[in-house]
Amino acid sequence: MAPAAEERYLYLAIYVITIATGFPANLLALHAFIRKLRINATPNAVLLFNLTISDLSFLTFLPFKVTEVFQGQWSMPSFLCPLSGLFYFSTIYSSTLFLTAVSVERYLGVAFPLKYKLYRKPSYAVAISGFLWVCSFAHCSIVYVTEYHQASNISSDRFVCYDNFTEKQLEVLLPFRLELSLLLFCLPFFITCFCYGSFIRILISSPHIHKDKKQRAIGLVLTTLCVFAICFAPYNVSHLVGFVKKENLKWREKALLLSTFNASLDPVIFYFSSTAVQHSCKRCLMRLHVCHPSPALHRIMDKQSIKLGPAQASDSFKD
């Protein structure tokens, strides 16, 4: 999927910026969630932990894209092409699924606080996470089907990866892409909009919830919807248009490029979603000598980092 020569530097710049910003931010979040899960595991922390793993997996295989774009062709071992493609596309859709799961967890926590408290167990979140991983990877296994079918029709000297499909391949691939966009993007997006719309409405109408918590919840919702709109929507729209036109659209690669920003934007969601991530960010800034809080603030943060468990419905996003 190498871009044209005149666009190569744009692709390289976006990939390098994503890796440079996404890796440290997600590693910091990963450290925070591991610490949170050891102290007081919650369903929200489990889901956000898996979302972090998804982002880090995406970033781990992104250097393969950088190499392909830099060289202008796929010159690495052929088995790495479908493997990197599988992780590249699967983690994109696993991100949409985990973001949706987080929105459902938030909504249930404020809409049905007493009933949901009976079922708010980390083990359930682990089981749901496993199902979402299987769902995303199983659907995106089409990468292996198309690549190995293509390998039987062309020489071993591969110049592109997951591109230049035959008419026979498109007959299978285009309907499958349509199913991906409907099942793994449109449906999760509508569920997320409903859950977060209801979530904000309930929070704003609750006078006992502090203004800071309301603002943090609004930031969480806006960031999540921006990720869906900027990172995921254009690429999935290309699936719909491609199915209607019965072709592999040329601008699909540019739409896919936007999904790369997801790995850099998700840590913003982590910050609004979890006090554990907020405390980790503050501790990191202290160690870098960016800020110099007083000893009293140090003690407060240490106490808060231990008391991270939710106690009531209004704390459903205090993880």
Side-chain angles (χ1 to χ4, degrees), residues 7-254:
E7 299 174 344
R8 189 175 302 171
Y9 292 108
L10 172 64
Y11 279 68
L12 287 174
I14 292 177
Y15 289 151
V16 172
I17 291 174
T18 300
I19 293 174
T21 58
F23 255 122
N26 280 281
L27 287 174
L28 180 64
L30 181 66
H31 174 267
F33 290 133
I34 291 176
R35 182 175 179 179
K36 167 66 181 176
L37 291 173
R38 287 177 176 175
I39 297 174
N40 181 24
T42 63
N44 183 67
V46 172
L47 295 173
L48 291 176
F49 171 79
N50 279 275
L51 181 56
T52 309
I53 295 297
S54 176
D55 288 342
L56 288 173
S57 299
F58 176 86
L59 291 167
T60 299
F61 282 88
L62 193 56
F64 290 102
K65 299 286 292 178
V66 175
T67 303
E68 180 185 18
V69 172
F70 182 76
Q71 296 180 346
Q73 63 180 15
W74 184 269
S75 58
M76 291 167 282
S78 59
F79 77 92
L80 289 177
C81 171
L83 180 63
S84 62
L86 176 63
F87 274 86
Y88 188 84
F89 295 111
S90 296
T91 51
I92 289 175
Y93 285 109
S94 64
S95 293
T96 65
L97 295 176
F98 283 118
L99 287 173
T100 301
V102 170
S103 71
V104 173
E105 203 273 339
R106 301 293 193 197
Y107 168 69
L108 293 176
V110 298
F112 310 99
L114 298 180
K115 291 183 179 179
Y116 180 57
K117 190 175 183 180
L118 299 175
Y119 302 98
R120 197 170 189 263
K121 299 179 181 179
S123 57
Y124 293 162
V126 172
I128 291 173
S129 298
F131 172 77
L132 297 182
W133 279 115
V134 172
C135 184
S136 61
F137 272 83
H139 277 83
C140 294
S141 61
I142 188 67
V143 174
Y144 267 94
V145 177
T146 55
E147 277 302 308
Y148 281 125
H149 179 78
Q150 185 182 40
S152 63
N153 297 326
I154 63 177
S155 64
S156 59
D157 187 17
R158 178 170 301 168
F159 292 94
V160 290
C161 178
Y162 198 65
D163 202 359
N164 294 342
F165 303 106
T166 64
E167 291 293 331
K168 187 175 181 180
Q169 285 176 310
L170 290 178
E171 289 178 1
V172 177
L173 189 59
L174 293 178
F176 201 87
R177 285 179 177 175
L178 177 65
E179 190 261 352
L180 278 176
S181 64
L182 294 177
L183 185 61
L184 298 187
F185 172 74
C186 291
L187 181 59
F189 179 62
F190 291 142
I191 293 175
T192 301
C193 288
F194 169 78
C195 289
Y196 274 146
S198 303
F199 175 68
I200 291 297
R201 177 178 53 80
I202 294 172
L203 288 183
I204 292 178
S205 62
S206 300
H208 64 280
I209 298 180
H210 196 273
K211 182 180 178 180
D212 291 341
K213 292 182 180 179
K214 293 181 179 180
Q215 291 177 344
R216 204 178 89 194
I218 293 174
L220 164 66
V221 172
L222 292 178
T223 306
T224 302
L225 295 181
C226 283
V227 169
F228 270 94
I230 297 174
C231 301
F232 302 138
Y235 176 58
N236 284 277
V237 168
S238 74
H239 291 345
L240 299 175
V241 178
F243 177 79
V244 173
K245 292 188 174 182
K246 304 299 181 182
E247 63 178 341
N248 189 42
L249 301 173
K250 294 182 179 180
W251 56 270
R252 175 179 171 273
E253 292 306 316
K254 295 183 178 64

